[in-house]
Amino acid sequence: MKQELLDFLNTDLQFVKGVGPVLAARFDDVLSGRRVLDFLLHHPSGVRRRDLVDNIMDATTGDVVTVPLLVQTVRPGRSFRGRRSPTQITCVDRAGNRVIIQFFNANFLDYWLQKLPVGAWRIVSGKLERPGRGGNIINHPEFIEPIDAADKIPRSQAIYPAGEGLTQKTFANVRDQIFAALDGNVGLGTSDDQTREFFDAMRAVHFPQTPDDLSPHADAMVKLAYYELLAHQSAIAITRRERADARHRRTVRPKKHDLMDRFYDLLPFELTSAQVTTIQEIHDDMRRDIPMMRLVQGDVGSGKTIIAMAAAVMCAETGAQAVLLAPTDTLAQQHFAKLQPLCEKLGMVCECLTGRDKGAARREKLISLKSGRTKLAVGTHALFSEDVVYRDLGLVIIDEQHRFGVAQRSAMCAKGNHPDLLALSATPIPRTLSMTIYGDMDVSIIHQKPAGRKPIKTTKLPMGRVGALIGRIAAQIDAGAKVFWVTPLVTDSDETDMTAAVARHEMLTQYFPHTGLVHGQMDKKQRDAVMATFADDHSGMSLLVATTVIEVGIDVPRATIIVIENAERFGLAALHQLRGRVGRGSTQSYCVLVHGDNITPDGTKRLDVLCETDDGFVIAEQDLMMRGVGELLGTRQSGWIQYHFVDYREHRDLFKLAARAAADMTTPSSWVHDLMYMFDRSTTIGA
Ligand code: ADP
Ligand code: MG
């Protein structure tokens, strides 16, 4: 692929016209990246038809309509007793039916009104509502154009998975800019056939005309899915080959100190036999001349952290250093808070390094790492910044493995001399898939929870009965419980997740005055502070309303209830993950899956699976069987590897094809390198 094109894919979205740093940061939250490439990999999840009607009575309530309207009167909104009534514009359609356009929001009102001059015909497009006897109402239409500019309103509109603070218009604008640049001076036009076909497929999924264009069996989707799998399988094949290569053998570090006995003495509990076995496997791996590459799969709460700690201690016994890499600052801090005291008792220096460390404090930590004094560094990606140097990095531990790409993994290992690699994953993977997904790793499975854990009691509850639930929660809170209340991601709408969370928070505050709120549009620091208050036993904050930003692995032992709203819209794995935030102590925990009235049979089935079982492996198998497209929310937390175009259920044959192609490949072509670059966040070309 040409350099101009690669550079363009790497461009920060803030440099796309109309974006800027604020929106780019929001994109970062949704896309887990903020490059043009990250945007392209994030395809629309649906298509919205904006069919034109002349007679509003022909349109169904709730549908998005595009209708020519004659503007008749404008009645400005008024404030009354702290409430504001909407501004109403009364219009008629071509058949003489009355349609009212409403604006609740006073922002930009002048801008909108100026688009609706009294006495003029306009084409208006938005969602049609018919509340009670209220007639035909369109709130905040998305498009208002003069009749002769009707073509500015897209007949079919791609709907991107919602992001907090990002509207569909913003998505569409960024997409248009990106494809215009690709067609323009970025040089796609003069690229080789393969590259052009690849981006044609991208174009097809980003400009879908009908829902079929986004089906996993659409030509473009199949093509992209295959390439994505090929990239991944090639990366696996390369690692595997390198590991088998005798030139990559290392000298085993001899043991210099004895720390493990002391470590076992310090444990406040008895290890489960699964934990013991896993630690033994790790011990054996670390004494081989082939670096360890082990994945520990254990359900949420199965006790993986202590295994990581054991590995770090074994590493320290040789005098080498270990790093524990967490996906977020919060999780890094939490691990640090738990492990540091243990390290101290063992005489191991433990530090925490995240993106927040700046200036002198950071410099000091870096010096300690470089000198070899720090034996365990807990942190985020910051641990692998260019200026971070290790004296002898012997072990890389990655928590919540699925957030890191294969190539990223090797970039981290490059900081040491053939270090061991240990990945921890809370999401069990069906055995049938495990080989193809993690083909380059050895796997330990912790199929056992610490003794004394009670299975989480899980129930379904229709939305209409939430009132009764609040009473039950109040009783539990009085008894000392902490409660998570998860509000859903909002899709298919320009409304944001924040709105739902804020509204729910407002409602619950009436019952529980000291209720916390976290959502993705909050500043990270603010968010962390609220989470910390909630986690603090003495804070008095017993209820936390959160969008799905509450992270995998967050440990609040006193949390015993989790309420998940619109649970039917989450995937099985995501629900199981969310549920894992409770049931971490010995007290009985509860999970309430709140669902809407119009729950689909598939949705019901998913919720039933969760009510019936607590076993992550069973759930994973079911998830694979039932995984549908376009109905699953919170995919970032659904575990497994986050493919962009691959559908686990529908593309199973592609897995085999790609694995075979990768295995047959002697040296990857430059095209395969390009693919690895595109699909794996930190692969570098030609490296
Ligand atoms: P996860 O596998 O989800 O990362 P953690 O490592 O956070 O789980 O462990 C969950 C909780 O269980 C922690 O509070 C931890 O101290 C505790 N724990 C871990 N192993 C055991 C054990 N063998 N017996 C009792 N409690 C344990
Ligand atoms: Mg964990």
Side-chain angles (χ1 to χ4, degrees):
M1 216 183 271
K2 293 182 178 184
Q3 196 56 45
E4 298 104 288
L5 192 48
L6 289 173
D7 289 345
F8 175 65
L9 294 179
N10 243 330
T11 309
D12 191 308
L13 286 172
Q14 70 168 310
F15 301 118
V16 172
K17 209 164 101 197
V19 179
V22 174
L23 285 183
R26 290 185 189 160
F27 273 116
D28 195 2
D29 271 354
V30 190
L31 313 176
S32 321
R34 47 189 285 165
R35 301 166 303 166
V36 164
L37 178 58
D38 298 311
F39 185 93
L40 286 174
L41 295 179
H42 189 80
H43 63 81
S45 55
V47 180
R48 181 184 289 156
R49 302 281 311 170
R50 293 193 170 274
D51 291 316
L52 189 71
V53 290
D54 277 333
N55 183 339
I56 198 80
M57 298 323 282
D58 292 341
T60 316
T61 309
D63 274 3
V64 172
V65 291
T66 302
V67 57
L69 295 175
L70 173 64
V71 183
Q72 292 189 317
T73 57
V74 175
R75 202 186 67 172
R78 285 188 201 87
S79 288
F80 181 67
R81 290 203 187 151
R83 284 183 184 277
R84 208 186 142 73
S85 67
T87 297
Q88 294 189 323
I89 294 102
T90 307
C91 312
V92 289
D93 70 7
R94 283 188 173 142
N97 300 300
R98 202 154 79 127
V99 178
I100 294 173
I101 300 174
Q102 293 195 133
F103 293 97
F104 287 87
N105 203 329
N107 296 338
F108 305 113
L109 190 59
D110 290 346
Y111 166 80
W112 291 110
L113 290 182
Q114 171 219 315
K115 284 182 160 237
L116 291 164
V118 172
W121 280 94
R122 288 292 181 262
I123 293 210
V124 174
S125 185
K127 189 169 165 186
L128 173 65
E129 313 208 22
R130 292 188 177 113
R133 287 168 294 126
N136 304 303
I137 293 185
I138 299 178
N139 290 323
H140 290 264
E142 285 127 354
F143 296 91
I144 300 170
E145 298 293 344
I147 301 287
D148 57 5
D151 56 348
K152 283 199 186 156
I153 302 174
R155 274 302 145 81
S156 48
Q157 184 189 11
I159 299 300
Y160 286 87
E164 298 195 19
L166 292 170
T167 63
Q168 293 300 335
K169 270 204 178 156
T170 314
F171 274 101
N173 167 49
V174 172
R175 173 202 58 191
D176 293 349
Q177 302 272 351
I178 290 175
F179 281 94
L182 282 170
D183 291 337
N185 54 6
V186 178
L188 180 59
T190 52
S191 290
D192 57 283
D193 291 350
Q194 226 158 8
T195 307
R196 267 186 297 128
E197 275 174 27
F198 180 85
F199 285 97
D200 283 346
M202 279 285 187
R203 192 187 311 269
V205 301
H206 279 280
F207 292 90
Q209 296 306 308
T210 69
D212 282 349
D213 294 338
L214 292 172
S215 124
H217 302 293
D219 286 349
M221 286 296 259
V222 171
K223 182 173 273 179
L224 294 170
Y226 174 73
Y227 279 143
E228 180 163 30
L229 286 168
L230 183 62
H232 186 211
Q233 292 297 322
S234 302
I236 288 176
I238 291 170
T239 339
R240 223 199 241 148
R241 220 166 288 159
E242 274 177 8
R243 259 158 64 80
D245 187 337
R247 281 169 304 178
H248 286 87
R249 295 292 144 87
R250 63 176 179 181
T251 328
V252 178
R253 294 178 177 82
K255 187 162 141 180
K256 293 182 184 155
H257 320 279
D258 210 340
L259 293 172
M260 280 309 274
D261 289 339
R262 177 109 182 82
F263 167 73
Y264 286 124
D265 287 346
L266 286 171
L267 290 184
F269 44 69
E270 192 89 18
L271 292 173
T272 63
S273 67
Q275 285 171 319
V276 172
T277 313
T278 305
I279 293 174
Q280 186 58 46
E281 285 168 340
I282 293 170
H283 175 270
D284 295 346
D285 286 353
M286 287 170 80
R287 267 156 193 65
R288 290 175 65 199
D289 61 355
I290 302 173
M292 165 167 80
M293 275 189 75
R294 181 165 294 277
L295 171 70
V296 175
Q297 266 187 44
D299 223 333
V300 257
S302 61
K304 293 182 295 292
T305 316
I306 209 66
I307 291 174
M309 179 66 191
V313 174
M314 287 190 263
C315 175
E317 285 188 322
T318 69
Q321 299 166 287
V323 294
L324 170 57
L325 196 60
T328 66
D329 283 13
T330 320
L331 285 175
Q333 240 110 34
Q334 190 177 293
H335 279 319
F336 178 71
K338 274 202 164 167
L339 299 182
Q340 203 279 332
L342 216 64
C343 286
E344 196 167 324
K345 292 190 187 121
L346 290 166
M348 278 169 68
V349 177
C350 178
E351 295 273 17
C352 185
L353 187 74
T354 67
R356 274 189 236 163
D357 293 292
K358 301 259 146 69
R362 178 167 191 273
R363 265 198 306 280
E364 238 166 73
K365 289 181 184 178
L366 296 199
I367 290 170
S368 184
L369 280 171
K370 193 174 177 186
S371 72
R373 183 174 153 273
T374 302
K375 289 293 185 268
L376 173 60
V378 180
T380 55
H381 285 93
L383 290 167
F384 292 90
S385 308
E386 230 167 290
D387 59 342
V388 181
V389 180
Y390 298 84
R391 169 115 200 287
D392 182 17
L393 179 59
L395 171 66
V396 175
I397 308 168
I398 303 175
D399 195 17
E400 306 308 346
Q401 132 93 14
H402 57 270
R403 310 242 184 147
F404 301 92
V406 176
Q408 207 165 5
R409 235 158 47 184
S410 36
M412 289 163 196
C413 291
K415 291 266 181 193
N417 182 19
H418 301 297
D420 289 309
L421 186 114
L422 180 67
L424 311 176
S425 170
T427 30
I429 289 163
R431 275 172 246 289
T432 44
L433 267 182
S434 177
M435 262 314 285
T436 32
I437 297 186
Y438 293 122
D440 52 345
M441 305 191 87
D442 300 311
V443 178
S444 300
I445 291 175
I446 315 190
H447 204 312
Q448 185 183 28
K449 294 219 173 142
R453 287 285 160 76
K454 297 194 178 76
I456 302 163
K457 283 195 180 147
T458 304
T459 46
K460 292 186 292 187
L461 188 81
M463 194 61 203
R465 292 201 3 236
V466 161
L469 176 66
I470 291 175
R472 271 165 55 203
I473 286 179
Q476 293 277 341
I477 285 182
D478 283 343
K482 291 205 180 236
V483 182
F484 285 111
W485 190 296
V486 182
T487 56
L489 275 165
V490 177
T491 51
D492 258 43
S493 143
D494 287 343
E495 196 188 339
T496 65
D497 311 346
M498 188 194 69
T499 333
V502 167
R504 183 58 72 222
H505 176 253
E506 198 168 295
M507 183 275 233
L508 287 169
T509 305
Q510 293 169 15
Y511 302 90
F512 312 102
H514 194 12
T515 293
L517 170 67
V518 288
H519 56 73
Q521 235 160 292
M522 275 161 82
D523 190 82
K524 262 215 158 84
K525 260 191 214 148
Q526 240 179 328
R527 206 152 80 187
D528 285 354
V530 177
M531 299 247 210
T533 312
F534 179 65
D536 178 1
D537 277 353
H538 308 289
S539 68
M541 184 190 287
S542 299
L543 184 65
L544 181 67
V545 176
T547 56
T548 47
V549 297
I550 52 165
E551 290 146 281
V552 179
I554 268 295
D555 197 16
V556 183
R558 259 181 55 202
T560 49
I561 301 180
I562 184 162
V563 178
I564 306 172
E565 271 190 65
N566 276 135
E568 73 274 22
R569 296 170 55 198
F570 290 91
L572 263 180
L575 287 170
H576 182 58
Q577 285 282 350
L578 282 169
R579 176 168 67 174
R581 255 139 275 198
V582 298
R584 303 190 136 239
S586 52
T587 340
Q588 179 63 56
S589 289
Y590 303 89
C591 170
V592 185
L593 305 169
V594 179
H595 60 83
D597 296 331
N598 44 5
I599 183 169
T600 61
D602 255 11
T604 308
K605 228 196 285 172
R606 277 203 300 274
L607 300 194
D608 286 341
V609 169
L610 282 158
C611 293
E612 277 155 28
T613 180
D614 204 14
D615 182 330
F617 284 92
V618 173
I619 291 169
E621 289 289 352
Q622 291 290 330
D623 194 14
L624 182 63
M625 301 302 296
M626 295 171 26
R627 217 160 242 258
V629 206
E631 57 182 2
L632 304 188
L633 286 176
T635 45
R636 261 212 270 177
Q637 294 184 344
S638 71
W640 306 1
I641 286 197
Q642 290 307 306
Y643 290 115
H644 299 279
F645 300 99
V646 178
D647 180 309
Y648 280 97
R649 185 175 57 178
E650 304 296 333
H651 291 147
R652 290 178 94 160
D653 48 338
L654 289 185
F655 274 90
K656 290 194 198 107
L657 269 179
R660 212 171 301 142
D664 289 347
M665 196 167 55
T666 36
T667 39
S669 63
S670 68
W671 171 242
V672 169
H673 269 291
D674 289 345
L675 287 176
M676 289 195 287
Y677 170 80
M678 285 191 285
F679 286 111
D680 203 305
R681 301 200 52 193
S682 56
T683 317
T684 42
I685 294 289

